[in-house]
Amino acid sequence: MFLTNILLKKAKSKNIMVMMESIVTGHKFNTVRERLADKLELIRFDPFIQRESIYKEKKKIRSIK
């Protein structure tokens, strides 16, 4: 393998965009987290029920620079 091949490889980004989904209503939104961090789970306002609910990370959408 040539040295140029090693130098031209893409570096992985530090952050990724993930889809968060409410466990109560299924409402979804996108947010950014670090690649090496654990999966997100947070409490946020849910517009469908007009109250706060728990959101869990559903899937990875894309990498962010």
Side-chain angles (χ1 to χ4, degrees), residues 2-26:
F2 296 106
L3 184 59
T4 54
N5 289 346
I6 295 170
L7 297 175
L8 296 177
K9 285 189 177 179
K10 281 189 172 180
K12 291 217 174 199
S13 63
K14 190 173 184 181
N15 297 320
I16 59 171
M17 182 179 283
V18 294
M19 180 191 302
M20 304 291 290
E21 183 177 24
S22 170
I23 61 172
V24 179
T25 62

